[in-house]
Amino acid sequence: MKTRRDFLKVTALGGLLPVSNLVAGDSTITKPIVLSTWNFGLQANEAAWKILSNGGKALDAVEAGAKVPEGDPKETSVGLGGLPDRDGHVTLDACIMDELGRCGSVAFLEHIVHPISVARMVMEKTPHVMLVGEGALQFALENGFKKQNLLTKGSEKTWREWTKKATYKPIVNVENHDTIGIIALDSNGDLSGACTTSGLAFKMRGRVGDSPIIGAGLYVDNEIGAATATGVGEEVIRIVGCHLVVELMRQGNSPEQACKLAVERILKKNPAKAKEVQVGFLALNRNGEYGAYCLQKGFNYAKYDNTGNTLIDSAFKL
């Protein structure tokens, strides 16, 4: 049986050992590990794992992972290729948060392929947390980012077809699976997270969802864990979802149970609306335990640890 002194010795050594699993008392610490929302999370995880498996920082890993779908012109819900708002403008939102509680965010940003890197620069180079719109674009251009047309031919064609009827009703797991959230625990036992999106397709101009909002679309507390969200951001914002998930883990809930309780709160607040949309949460605690839960069947996430890169179907409520 491990004594408290033995536990403290193992914990103190944990950051120095290049192994994936450390036994501490009755708990198994799995690290490094990275989790990403949806099936494009598999490719994001590959980029993140290259950093994590070489002893790199979780912060660098989540940024590298998020940049994969951001730069993919075939991905219509994140970055380049993202479907536009109802006026034909592609606007991007992103945030990032590290183990120290530092965070950066951009919202309503146009013409920049990698908003997650701009968000990190906001965190590291300014006294602010969030920059938006023209101010965010000005900041990006002043710091070396290149201006680019984000509306691909494919996304423009889809938008022009939509304008013929111009009706707006998100379809569960289609038009509202609009985000990649990525959270990681590195070999040092530090957590970080990132979240990036082009938002709901054909949204009103100026609409911003949960993805760039610290505490809503993403939250990291290095003492407890990290959480990210996907789906219709308005519902996540109303309960400050990812902060809630982390606080529920603080109370002793497992990552999956914390995600479930957050989903149930959304359902309780607005049962009629909740049945028409998708919202999912993904969480990771500092022991490397993970879990997810969503409103509707259909949400999945990718997990990469020393056992490999795997796509997992989330538990669901309805």
Side-chain angles (χ1 to χ4, degrees):
M1 180 177 178
K2 297 283 186 182
T3 66
R4 182 174 181 273
R5 181 174 294 176
D6 292 331
F7 172 82
L8 292 174
K9 286 179 180 177
V10 172
T11 303
L13 290 171
L16 303 177
L17 297 177
V19 297
S20 296
N21 297 300
L22 293 173
V23 176
D26 294 328
S27 299
T28 299
I29 302 174
T30 300
K31 59 183 182 179
I33 182 172
V34 58
L35 307 169
S36 298
T37 56
W38 301 105
N39 56 7
F40 47 47
L42 289 168
Q43 291 73 41
N45 281 358
E46 292 284 351
W49 189 252
K50 289 179 182 178
I51 294 170
L52 293 172
S53 61
N54 286 305
K57 290 179 62 65
L59 180 65
D60 296 329
V62 297
E63 180 188 11
K67 289 174 71 173
V68 173
E70 282 184 339
D72 185 353
K74 295 180 181 178
E75 178 48 59
T76 60
S77 61
V78 179
L80 178 64
L83 289 171
D85 61 22
R86 60 186 57 189
D87 296 324
H89 302 278
V90 179
T91 62
L92 307 179
D93 307 321
C95 73
I96 196 165
M97 191 169 187
D98 72 4
E99 77 277 8
L100 301 175
R102 300 185 306 163
C103 46
S105 171
V106 291
F108 195 49
L109 175 63
E110 298 184 68
H111 307 300
I112 302 296
V113 174
H114 293 300
I116 196 65
S117 296
V118 184
R120 180 171 178 175
M121 198 167 283
V122 171
M123 177 181 79
E124 294 179 337
K125 287 195 168 187
T126 82
H128 308 306
V129 169
M130 177 180 281
L131 295 178
V132 303
E134 288 297 323
L137 177 59
Q138 178 183 336
F139 174 77
L141 296 176
E142 287 174 350
N143 282 278
F145 291 87
K146 303 300 181 184
K147 192 172 183 179
Q148 183 172 335
N149 177 23
L150 302 180
L151 186 62
T152 63
K153 290 182 179 179
S155 291
E156 183 177 10
K157 181 180 179 181
T158 301
W159 168 66
R160 293 195 182 280
E161 285 295 318
W162 175 83
T163 61
K164 293 177 181 178
K165 293 184 178 179
T167 56
Y168 184 70
K169 185 175 177 60
I171 303 169
V172 170
N173 296 326
V174 180
E175 286 183 6
N176 58 14
H177 109 95
D178 60 328
T179 305
I180 182 166
I182 178 168
I183 48 181
L185 177 70
D186 63 30
S187 296
N188 290 321
D190 289 327
L191 292 154
S192 289
C195 190
T196 182
T197 186
S198 57
L200 292 174
F202 319 127
K203 61 196 174 186
M204 291 178 64
R205 179 132 175 93
R207 180 264 185 188
V208 173
D210 67 304
S211 296
I213 299 176
I214 300 298
L218 177 74
Y219 195 69
V220 177
D221 185 324
N222 213 44
E223 294 182 352
I224 305 300
T228 190
T230 188
V232 174
E234 284 77 2
E235 304 309 311
V236 178
I237 292 170
R238 289 186 177 104
I239 65 162
V240 198
C242 287
H243 182 267
L244 173 62
V245 170
V246 171
E247 290 305 300
L248 288 166
M249 289 194 289
R250 190 189 304 276
Q251 294 170 17
N253 292 287
S254 70
E256 181 176 319
Q257 183 65 15
C259 292
K260 180 181 180 182
L261 290 169
V263 165
E264 288 175 343
R265 185 169 298 189
I266 289 174
L267 186 60
K268 182 179 180 181
K269 282 184 172 292
N270 195 345
K273 177 68 174 177
K275 292 177 181 178
E276 299 176 353
V277 301
Q278 177 67 295
V279 173
F281 293 102
L282 177 61
L284 172 68
N285 69 21
R286 66 171 291 107
N287 291 328
E289 298 166 333
Y290 60 90
Y293 203 85
C294 59
L295 269 171
Q296 315 275 358
K297 182 179 180 180
F299 169 52
N300 53 28
Y301 64 96
K303 181 264 301 182
Y304 204 150
D305 60 12
N306 66 317
T307 65
N309 197 12
T310 309
L311 193 64
I312 302 170
D313 290 330
S314 170
F316 59 93
K317 185 69 178 179
L318 300 178

